[in-house]
Amino acid sequence: MSRIQSQGLVDDADAVDGPAEAALGLGRPLATEADGTGTGPRAGRRVEVRQVLRFLLRRPGLLLSTVVVVLVLLASFWPDLFTSQDPLKGVPSQNFRGPSGAHWFGTDELGRDVFSRVVHGAQLSLKATIIAVLVAFVVGGLLGVVAGFVGRWVDDVLMRFVDVLLSIPALFLSLALVTALGYGTVKVAVAVGIASVASFARVARAEVLRVRQAVFVEASRSCGARWYAVLGRHVLPNAAGPVIVLATLDFGASILAVSALSFLGYGAPPPAPEWGTLISDGRNYLANAWWLTALPGLAIAATVLATNRIARALDGEWSRQR
């Protein structure tokens, strides 16, 4: 993003033609492999792959975080890859069995395999988290873009509404919304998403205001470009980066919020194996079956920490590497 802006500041001619295209080298003849320069499209893709691999290998924590997120996503979409046991079927004679080769996370009070319940619970928890992040991203981003691009009284009205949302703690606002909407995974997700709208609106507005004052945007307007062309071609692509990073960060916070509401009983009704519900069910057996709460809680903590580590890498480390 900074490279696109700096290119527009340095080269006025390129800025008038279109800063994004000039910075990326679009519109100019690219050297091909036949030229012997090694700068063709295929060579560029090879360099990009090498950069990503080198970036990951030099950061073992980031590599481990990526593996954790990939495993959680696979478990949420294809749980049968990890376990073939039914998460709802129990064997009463095998209740309260500790972690072992037969039951990696042990069994619960009804003899159900806890590992299979955690794996299948990822589908419910991740579904709610993705819906929450999408709601916050779309609604908050739209409010921020409109406020920053239109300005004047529209900006004042929308930002005062955002200030009201920011004045209420997110968890309390989620509780109030889910109480009004009703119980269920989707309703919990919508409540968590609406509670996160304010932060997305603030970041999107700040980025739109920054990009709107850039030289290449003024040059595009002076050439007679329509407002929707300026918005779609210059403002949105250059302002989207920090909002996407915020969505990655908010993914971890949304997992915690969804799990907290499920823990309080607002999620899917039993015997649905949501992560928060698993911890809530196991808290009554902490004295003799610690694994019922510790291991699902460890899965939540690992997922949240992994997403936060990836967001931190996207926020600054990757741009400095490039």
Side-chain angles (χ1 to χ4, degrees), residues 24 32 46 59 122 163 188 193-194 218 233 253 255 313 315:
L24 295 174
T32 60
R46 287 199 298 270
R59 294 164 176 81
D163 290 340
V188 164
I194 293 175
E218 295 297 332
R233 188 177 180 185
I255 291 176
D315 189 21

Side-chain angles (χ1 to χ4, degrees), residues 128-261:
T129 302
I130 291 173
I131 293 174
V133 173
L134 284 177
V135 169
F137 182 85
V138 173
V139 178
L142 183 61
L143 290 176
V145 169
V146 172
F149 194 76
V150 177
R152 299 186 296 274
W153 64 270
V154 176
D155 185 15
D156 294 336
V157 171
L158 291 179
M159 286 303 103
R160 297 299 76 77
F161 172 71
V162 169
D163 290 340
V164 171
L165 292 180
L166 286 173
S167 66
I168 306 173
L171 185 58
F172 291 164
L173 182 57
S174 299
L175 283 171
L177 290 173
V178 78
T179 302
L181 295 173
Y183 298 177
T185 302
V186 176
K187 294 176 182 178
V188 164
V190 172
V192 172
I194 293 175
S196 303
V197 161
S199 57
F200 280 86
R202 280 291 186 183
V203 173
R205 174 181 177 270
E207 289 301 308
V208 169
L209 287 175
R210 181 186 63 81
V211 176
R212 193 182 66 174
Q213 299 171 359
V215 172
F216 59 83
V217 174
E218 295 297 332
S220 179
R221 285 175 173 170
S222 65
C223 291
R226 300 296 181 90
W227 66 268
Y228 52 82
V230 174
L231 178 63
R233 188 177 180 185
H234 300 300
V235 176
L236 288 182
N238 290 285
V243 184
I244 294 174
V245 173
L246 178 61
T248 310
L249 275 172
D250 191 67
F251 194 85
S254 296
I255 291 176
L256 288 177
V258 168
S259 300
L261 293 178

Side-chain angles (χ1 to χ4, degrees), residues 29-43:
L30 291 173
T32 60
E33 292 179 344
D35 298 332
T37 59
T39 58
R42 294 182 182 178

Side-chain angles (χ1 to χ4, degrees), residues 9 12 17 22 43 54 67 100 116 127 134 215 262 264 272 276 298 311:
L9 291 170
D12 290 335
D17 293 336
R54 191 182 304 115
V67 171
S100 62
S116 66
K127 171 187 172 183
L134 284 177
V215 172
S262 299
L264 295 174
L298 181 63

